[in-house]
Amino acid sequence: MKSKVLILLLTIPFFVYAQNKLSKQHQTQALNCKTCHSCDIPTKENPCIKPCPRERLITIEQTPEDAPAVLTIDKLKKQSDIYAPVVFTHRLHSEMAEIGGGCGMCHHYNPPGNVVACSECHDEERKRIDLSKPDLKGAYHQQCINCHRGWSRKVECESCHAQNDSVKKATKTTEKGTEKKRVHPKVKPPEIVKYDTPKTKGKVVTFNHVDHVNTFSVSCNKCHSNESCNKCHAKYKQVSISSRSANEKHTSCSNCHNVKVNCSYCHKNTVAAPFNHKTRTGFDLDKNHSKLACVRCHVEKGKFTGLKTDCSTCHGTWTKENFKHSVTGLLLDEVHADFECKDCHQENNYSNITCKNCHEDITYPKDKPGKMIKNRQTLAK
Amino acid sequence: MAKQSRRDFFKTTALIGSATVGLANSAKASQKNALSEDRAGVLVDTSVCIGCRKCEWACKTVNNLPTDPLEVYQDRGVFKKHRRPNDKALTVVNEYPNTTSEKFPINVKVQCMHCDKPTCLSACIVGAFSKNENGSVVWDTHKCIGCRYCMVACPFQIPAFEYEEALKPDIKKCDFCFERTAKGKIPGCVEICPVEAITYGRREDLLEAAKEKIKNYPNRYVNRIFGEHEVGGTSWLYLSNRQFEELAFPKLGKDPAPGVSEAIQHGIFAYFVPPVALYALLGGVMWLNKNKKHTDAENES
C-alpha cells in the first residue's frame, strides 16, 4: 500500500509538468479553448478536438529551412502494390508556398505548437467511422493534385509516383540525395509591372511593385494569396485578361484604391514615374519622415489627400518646453536654448531659419547656434 | 428460391395457376429489410473528382471483366463523348466543362444508384432483382428471362444487356461489390480512388457529412444532395458545385418510381377487374353481333 502511495506521489509532478508544457505552447497563441475543444476540460486522453474546419483557423509559421528537406511518403506502402512511395521535396515546396500562404497552404488547421503531419488527423484506413474529412490517401492526393493539375492539366500518377512493376521504375530518378539539392531560386520581385489595357485613352497602367512593397509597406500576402505555380510559370497561359469582367480585373487594386472614380489616376498614356511624395504632393519626406508608415500622418483610412503641409497639422504646436531640439541633430547651446521658437523660425515654417533678429553678420547654416550631434534622439511621439 | 432455374420457375408458375398473384407475391418478397438504418452508401463529391478513371479500371478488375492496362485509362480523349455504363463497363466517368475555371473540368462518375425503392425490382416480372439489407440492388442470373423490362424501367438507364451473347445473355450492372462488402471490404472503385472523391460508409453518416460540407463551404457546393430524396432516396449520393441538371443528371421527383406503376397495378388490376371487364365487354360485343347476325339471316330468308 505504501509503495502505491509513493508511486502516486512521484507521478503527480510528472502530470503537472506535462500539463504545464502543453499549456505553455497554448499560451503563446492567445487562444480560446472552445476554438478547438468541444468539452470543458480537455485531457491528453480525451482532447475532444472539434472536427475541421474550426471557426478560427489556427496555423503556424516556420521558415522552409526549419522543415525537413525531403520526405518519403510511404505511410500507404502496405496499401498499394501498383505505385512506389513518393519522394516529396518538402523544402522546395515550402519555399514555393512562401509567396502564396506559407505552411498553412498544406498544414491547414494546425494546432498550436509543432507542425503536425497529415497522418495526425487523416485516417490511414479508408473504411472508417469519421467521414467528415478525407482519409490519408485522399488527403495526400487532394493536396498535391489540386495544384499540379492546374499547372500541367494532367492527373497521371507517374508525375509523382514510380511504378512498382514496370520498366519505368528504372527511369524515375527520385533519389533522396539528388532531390535534397533542389531548391527554388529566390523570387526576385519586379520593379514595375506594365499593363496594356484595352482602353483607348489612358492605355497604360503602371503598377509600381517596389513602391507598394517598400514605400507603402504592403505585405506580400495582401495581394498574393493562394497562388499556384502557374502564376509565374505560365505553362498554359492563364485565362486571357479580356475574358475577365471589369470588376475582376480591378480586384487587386480595388482592395485599397477606389477604382470607381478618377480612372486617369492609374490609366495613363505612358509608363508612370515611381511615386515621389515631393513631386506628387509638395511635401518632402526628408530623413525625418521617410521611415514612417503612411497611416501615421494619413490617419483617415483610405484618404490621402487634403493634409496640410504645416508641421503643426500632425505635431500640434511646438513650444520650447515640449520640443527637444536635439532630435533635429542640432543641440542648442545654453544661450539659444532659452529662446522662443519663433525667434529663429518665422511664421511657423521650421525649415526657414533666420538669425537677423539678433545678429547682423551671421547666417545659418554657415554659423550654428549650438553643436551638431550624431546620435539624434528620436521623438517619443 | 435463390437457386431456382428458369425451367423451375415456369413449372412453379404453371402449377400455381394464377400467375399474377404468384408473381406479385414473389416480387414483394425480394425486398427484404430494404431500409435498414445501417445500410451502406457512397458519397460522390464531383468537385473533388479529377477524372483519372482509376475507378473504371478497378471496377472491371474486381468484376472479372476484360480490361486494358491501367495506363490506357489516362487517355482523356474518351471524355469527348458522354458515355453510359454498359455490359462491358459497369461504371464510367464523364466530363463537363467548368465555365468559371476551365483548368478544372467537372468529372462525374456514373453507375447504378442502388435506389431505396428500386424500379428495376418492381418492373421485373420474375423477381430476379432484390434489394439487400446493406443497400445494394442485385440481380440473379438464374431467374432472369431476358425481358429487359428493368432497362426500360430504370430512371437512370443503368441495367445493360449483353446483346453480343447469343446463348446466355446477362443483365449487367453495378452490384455495389456485393461479394466484397460481404467480406468486410469496400467497393473496388472506392478503394482505388486516389483523391477519395467517393466515400463509402453508412448512408446516414454520409448524408450528415455532406450537409456539413455544404454548411462549411456554401460557395463551393449547390445546396442539394442528389440522391437524398430523388425517387425516394438512393444509396449513392452526389455533391456538386453545379446544378445537377447541367451535369446530365435526370430531373426526378421525390416519389419512388415504382409508386406510380405499382399503384396502378395494385389499384386497377386488383381482383382481376380489368380482365374481367375486358372479357365482359368482348363477350357483350360478340353476343350483340351474334344476335344481329341472327336477325339479318332471318330477314334474308
Side-chain angles (χ1 to χ4, degrees):
Chain A
M1 183 67 190
K2 259 185 187 171
S3 63
K4 276 184 186 166
V5 173
L6 198 70
I7 289 169
L8 195 71
L9 281 173
L10 282 170
T11 47
I12 285 173
F14 173 75
F15 279 116
V16 172
Y17 173 74
Q19 284 290 320
N20 278 345
K21 200 181 158 198
L22 197 72
S23 57
K24 242 181 209 167
Q25 289 178 344
H26 282 62
Q27 270 168 8
T28 54
Q29 304 271 336
L31 290 167
N32 182 355
C33 313
K34 293 279 173 195
T35 309
C36 303
H37 302 280
S38 56
C39 53
D40 286 328
I41 306 161
T43 59
K44 206 159 182 185
E45 287 72 34
N46 177 29
C48 57
I49 304 270
K50 280 187 194 172
C52 309
R54 292 154 201 147
E55 289 124 51
R56 215 188 96 200
L57 308 185
I58 305 145
T59 192
I60 21 64
E61 282 311 322
Q62 280 193 349
T63 61
E65 290 73 32
D66 292 337
V70 179
L71 292 168
T72 307
I73 303 175
D74 53 5
K75 281 238 159 59
L76 304 168
K77 206 174 172 182
K78 59 179 186 293
Q79 278 182 28
S80 169
D81 47 1
I82 307 172
Y83 296 105
V86 167
V87 176
F88 176 65
T89 49
H90 188 278
R91 165 100 36 101
L92 185 67
H93 279 82
S94 36
E95 278 166 346
M96 292 185 286
E98 270 193 311
I99 195 163
C103 311
M105 276 183 90
C106 299
H107 297 276
H108 44 218
Y109 323 126
N110 201 91
N114 295 332
V115 181
V116 296
C118 309
S119 55
E120 288 277 318
C121 304
H122 295 277
D123 254 310
E124 269 180 53
E125 205 59 49
R126 184 152 280 189
K127 195 179 178 185
R128 62 195 188 278
I129 303 291
D130 178 16
L131 302 170
S132 64
K133 48 185 183 273
D135 73 333
L136 190 58
K137 182 174 159 187
Y140 280 144
H141 284 103
Q142 284 188 29
Q143 204 66 275
C144 301
I145 286 176
N146 278 347
C147 289
H148 277 255
R149 75 163 167 158
W151 153 238
S152 68
R153 298 203 183 181
K154 283 183 189 148
V155 292
E156 86 272 297
C157 310
E158 285 78 16
S159 357
C160 303
H161 291 276
Q163 265 195 35
N164 265 341
D165 56 343
S166 113
V167 277
K168 282 175 189 162
K169 193 179 176 183
T171 56
K172 185 84 186 170
T173 54
T174 43
E175 291 304 316
K176 255 194 157 178
T178 53
E179 292 293 325
K180 227 172 210 173
K181 287 179 194 127
R182 286 177 66 193
V183 288
H184 194 274
K186 207 100 201 111
V187 178
K188 192 171 171 278
E191 292 207 355
I192 62 159
V193 183
K194 183 185 156 221
Y195 293 101
D196 283 320
T197 68
K199 266 173 102 92
T200 41
K201 206 179 154 201
K203 197 173 161 46
V204 181
V205 173
T206 316
F207 176 71
N208 201 310
H209 195 274
V210 182
D211 276 346
H212 280 79
V213 176
N214 297 345
T215 318
F216 313 138
S217 312
V218 179
S219 64
C220 305
N221 60 9
K222 179 108 188 177
C223 304
H224 302 280
S225 60
N226 278 326
E227 280 175 2
S228 68
C229 312
N230 38 352
K231 174 87 184 175
C232 305
H233 305 271
K235 197 170 179 183
Y236 290 89
K237 198 66 193 156
Q238 294 229 310
V239 194
S240 67
I241 205 155
S242 56
S243 70
R244 294 189 295 165
S245 72
N247 250 348
E248 283 171 327
K249 280 184 230 173
H250 286 94
T251 35
S252 45
C253 302
S254 64
N255 286 338
C256 305
H257 298 275
N258 185 353
V259 294
K260 295 264 156 61
V261 292
N262 196 6
C263 304
S264 63
Y265 184 78
C266 300
H267 288 270
K268 297 191 186 319
N269 291 321
T270 51
V271 175
F275 178 79
N276 183 319
H277 205 280
K278 194 180 177 185
T279 51
R280 182 71 72 86
T281 69
F283 183 79
D284 189 6
L285 294 178
D286 52 18
K287 58 184 186 244
N288 296 322
H289 296 92
S290 59
K291 292 222 172 92
L292 289 177
C294 309
V295 288
R296 287 292 298 277
C297 305
H298 304 282
V299 188
E300 207 177 315
K301 198 175 170 231
K303 189 170 178 274
F304 293 95
T305 52
L307 202 63
K308 284 184 192 152
T309 51
D310 292 346
C311 305
S312 60
T313 315
C314 299
H315 294 282
T317 317
W318 278 322
T319 60
K320 66 176 179 183
E321 283 80 24
N322 72 10
F323 186 71
K324 236 188 214 170
H325 207 280
S326 56
V327 299
T328 65
L330 178 72
L331 182 64
L332 295 174
D333 57 30
E334 279 177 19
V335 182
H336 288 90
D338 277 347
F339 290 167
E340 292 295 328
C341 306
K342 65 172 194 277
D343 288 342
C344 305
H345 304 288
Q346 294 186 318
E347 295 159 357
N348 280 342
N349 187 344
Y350 295 92
S351 52
N352 190 358
I353 299 150
T354 179
C355 310
K356 294 254 158 29
N357 285 343
C358 308
H359 310 280
E360 280 191 1
D361 50 344
I362 283 175
T363 53
Y364 185 86
K366 209 176 95 192
D367 304 292
K368 294 190 174 65
K371 65 173 183 194
M372 301 301 288
I373 49 168
K374 264 185 190 164
N375 296 334
R376 295 192 294 146
Q377 291 161 353
T378 45
L379 273 171
K381 183 122 195 197
Chain B
M1 188 81 176
K3 294 253 163 71
Q4 197 182 31
S5 78
R6 206 169 294 172
R7 179 177 295 214
D8 287 341
F9 166 74
F10 284 129
K11 270 188 201 162
T12 4
T13 346
L15 276 175
I16 289 166
S18 164
T20 12
V21 174
L23 284 173
N25 282 346
S26 70
K28 262 184 195 167
S30 44
Q31 181 152 357
K32 44 195 168 187
N33 301 324
L35 298 178
S36 149
E37 275 197 356
D38 287 331
R39 67 190 186 279
V42 170
L43 176 66
V44 185
D45 190 335
T46 58
S47 72
V48 173
C49 181
I50 52 168
C52 69
R53 295 174 63 214
K54 291 274 181 295
C55 50
E56 291 185 22
W57 177 83
C59 179
K60 286 181 189 177
T61 310
V62 301
N63 285 297
N64 297 319
L65 291 166
T67 170
D68 289 322
L70 190 54
E71 292 90 53
V72 177
Y73 286 80
Q74 286 174 3
D75 170 28
R76 295 181 82 88
V78 294
F79 290 140
K80 278 179 200 143
K81 235 172 74 183
H82 287 166
R83 299 171 299 156
R84 264 175 49 195
N86 57 28
D87 55 315
K88 291 178 188 68
L90 310 186
T91 183
V92 291
V93 179
N94 283 328
E95 186 164 285
Y96 301 87
N98 186 347
T99 41
T100 44
S101 174
E102 57 155 339
K103 284 185 291 184
F104 302 105
I106 300 159
N107 293 102
V108 182
K109 181 184 182 298
V110 188
Q111 74 298 306
C112 173
M113 298 287 284
H114 297 278
C115 305
D116 283 344
K117 307 247 165 54
T119 333
C120 50
L121 185 151
S122 168
C124 182
I125 56 170
V126 293
F129 281 91
S130 51
K131 171 87 180 172
N132 290 299
E133 200 173 351
N134 69 355
S136 61
V137 177
V138 298
W139 167 88
D140 183 355
T141 182
H142 301 293
K143 287 188 195 169
C144 181
I145 55 169
C147 71
R148 287 167 277 145
Y149 278 12
C150 50
M151 297 168 67
V152 184
C154 176
F156 302 97
Q157 305 187 324
I158 294 299
F161 189 67
E162 286 184 314
Y163 286 105
E164 288 166 29
E165 292 285 331
L167 294 176
K168 275 197 86 184
D170 275 349
I171 289 285
K172 287 277 185 182
K173 75 167 200 70
C174 157
D175 65 351
F176 214 163
C177 280
F178 185 71
E179 279 175 24
R180 282 173 63 90
T181 49
K183 282 182 210 153
K185 288 186 187 170
I186 56 174
C189 54
V190 178
E191 189 179 78
I192 202 164
C193 180
V195 287
E196 210 188 24
I198 38 182
T199 314
Y200 178 84
R202 275 183 74 225
R203 187 177 182 270
E204 299 291 310
D205 294 346
L206 290 169
L207 278 172
E208 208 172 287
K211 281 171 189 162
E212 192 71 12
K213 271 188 171 184
I214 295 175
K215 197 185 102 193
N216 288 334
Y217 307 101
N219 297 328
R220 180 166 171 178
Y221 298 108
V222 292
N223 188 11
R224 179 179 167 194
I225 305 164
F226 190 94
E228 186 184 10
H229 302 300
E230 277 71 14
V231 287
T234 59
S235 301
W236 280 62
L237 307 160
Y238 282 77
L239 275 177
S240 167
N241 49 5
R242 285 283 173 291
Q243 292 301 327
F244 286 97
E245 283 71 23
E246 289 175 42
L247 306 176
F249 280 78
K251 260 189 194 166
L252 298 168
K254 285 185 178 180
D255 297 324
V260 185
S261 53
E262 280 179 9
I264 297 170
Q265 291 268 343
H266 300 168
I268 301 175
F269 288 91
Y271 309 108
F272 300 103
V273 172
V276 169
L278 183 71
Y279 282 122
L281 186 75
L282 289 173
V285 172
M286 273 172 71
W287 186 71
L288 280 175
N289 275 347
K290 204 178 155 193
N291 275 353
K292 210 179 162 197
K293 266 184 191 168
H294 228 70
T295 30
D296 284 354
E298 273 175 9
N299 287 349
E300 270 171 33
S301 62

Coordinates of all heavy atoms in Angstrom, one line a residue, chain A residues 215 275-278 281 283-292 297-298:
Chain A
T215 N 7.8 51.4 -50.0 CA 7.3 52.7 -49.6 C 6.0 52.6 -48.8 O 5.8 53.2 -47.8 CB 7.1 53.7 -50.8 OG1 8.2 53.5 -51.6 CG2 7.0 55.1 -50.3
F275 N 6.5 56.6 -57.5 CA 5.8 57.5 -56.6 C 6.9 58.4 -55.9 O 7.9 57.9 -55.4 CB 5.0 56.8 -55.6 CG 4.3 57.7 -54.6 CD1 3.2 58.3 -54.9 CD2 4.8 57.8 -53.3 CE1 2.5 59.1 -54.0 CE2 4.2 58.7 -52.4 CZ 3.0 59.3 -52.7
N276 N 6.7 59.7 -55.9 CA 7.6 60.6 -55.3 C 6.7 61.6 -54.5 O 5.9 62.3 -55.0 CB 8.4 61.4 -56.3 CG 9.4 62.3 -55.7 OD1 9.1 63.0 -54.7 ND2 10.6 62.3 -56.2
H277 N 6.9 61.5 -53.2 CA 6.0 62.3 -52.3 C 6.1 63.8 -52.5 O 5.2 64.5 -52.5 CB 6.3 61.9 -50.8 CG 5.1 62.1 -49.9 ND1 4.8 63.4 -49.5 CD2 4.2 61.3 -49.4 CE1 3.7 63.3 -48.7 NE2 3.3 62.0 -48.7
K278 N 7.4 64.2 -52.8 CA 7.6 65.6 -53.0 C 6.9 66.1 -54.3 O 6.2 67.1 -54.2 CB 9.1 65.9 -53.1 CG 9.4 67.4 -52.9 CD 10.9 67.6 -52.9 CE 11.2 69.1 -52.9 NZ 12.6 69.4 -53.0
T281 N 2.9 65.6 -54.0 CA 2.1 66.3 -53.0 C 2.8 67.6 -52.6 O 2.1 68.4 -51.9 CB 2.0 65.5 -51.8 OG1 3.2 65.3 -51.1 CG2 1.4 64.1 -52.1
F283 N 5.1 67.8 -50.4 CA 5.7 67.7 -49.1 C 6.9 66.7 -49.2 O 6.7 65.6 -49.6 CB 4.6 67.2 -48.1 CG 5.2 67.1 -46.7 CD1 5.3 68.2 -45.9 CD2 5.5 65.8 -46.2 CE1 5.8 68.1 -44.6 CE2 6.0 65.7 -44.9 CZ 6.1 66.8 -44.1
D284 N 8.0 67.2 -48.8 CA 9.2 66.4 -48.9 C 9.4 65.4 -47.7 O 9.4 65.9 -46.6 CB 10.5 67.3 -49.1 CG 11.7 66.5 -49.4 OD1 11.5 65.3 -49.7 OD2 12.8 67.1 -49.4
L285 N 9.3 64.1 -48.0 CA 9.6 63.2 -46.9 C 11.1 63.1 -46.7 O 11.7 62.2 -47.1 CB 9.0 61.8 -47.2 CG 7.5 61.6 -47.4 CD1 7.3 60.1 -47.8 CD2 6.8 61.9 -46.2
D286 N 11.6 64.1 -46.0 CA 13.0 64.1 -45.7 C 13.4 63.0 -44.8 O 12.6 62.1 -44.4 CB 13.5 65.5 -45.3 CG 12.6 65.9 -44.1 OD1 12.0 65.0 -43.5 OD2 12.6 67.1 -43.8
K287 N 14.6 63.0 -44.3 CA 15.1 62.0 -43.4 C 14.2 61.8 -42.2 O 14.2 60.7 -41.6 CB 16.6 62.2 -43.0 CG 16.7 63.6 -42.3 CD 18.2 63.8 -42.0 CE 18.3 65.1 -41.1 NZ 19.0 66.2 -41.8
N288 N 13.5 62.8 -41.8 CA 12.7 62.7 -40.6 C 11.4 61.8 -40.8 O 10.8 61.3 -39.9 CB 12.3 64.0 -40.1 CG 13.5 64.8 -39.6 OD1 14.4 64.3 -39.1 ND2 13.5 66.1 -39.9
H289 N 10.9 61.8 -42.0 CA 9.6 61.2 -42.3 C 9.7 60.0 -43.2 O 8.7 59.3 -43.3 CB 8.7 62.2 -42.9 CG 8.4 63.4 -42.0 ND1 9.1 64.5 -42.0 CD2 7.4 63.5 -41.0 CE1 8.6 65.4 -41.1 NE2 7.6 64.8 -40.5
S290 N 10.8 59.7 -43.8 CA 10.8 58.7 -44.8 C 10.5 57.3 -44.3 O 10.0 56.4 -45.0 CB 12.2 58.7 -45.5 OG 13.2 58.4 -44.6
K291 N 10.8 57.1 -43.0 CA 10.6 55.7 -42.5 C 9.2 55.5 -41.9 O 8.8 54.4 -41.4 CB 11.6 55.4 -41.4 CG 13.0 55.3 -42.0 CD 13.8 54.1 -41.4 CE 15.1 53.9 -42.2 NZ 16.2 54.6 -41.6
L292 N 8.4 56.6 -41.8 CA 7.1 56.5 -41.2 C 6.1 55.7 -42.0 O 6.1 55.7 -43.3 CB 6.5 57.9 -41.0 CG 7.1 58.7 -39.9 CD1 6.5 60.1 -39.9 CD2 7.0 58.1 -38.5
C297 N 0.5 59.7 -40.6 CA 0.1 61.0 -40.9 C -1.3 61.0 -41.5 O -2.2 61.8 -41.2 CB 1.0 61.7 -41.9 SG 2.7 61.7 -41.3
H298 N -1.5 60.0 -42.5 CA -2.8 59.9 -43.1 C -3.7 59.0 -42.3 O -3.9 57.8 -42.5 CB -2.7 59.3 -44.5 CG -1.7 60.1 -45.4 ND1 -2.1 61.3 -46.0 CD2 -0.4 59.9 -45.7 CE1 -1.0 61.8 -46.7 NE2 0.0 60.9 -46.5

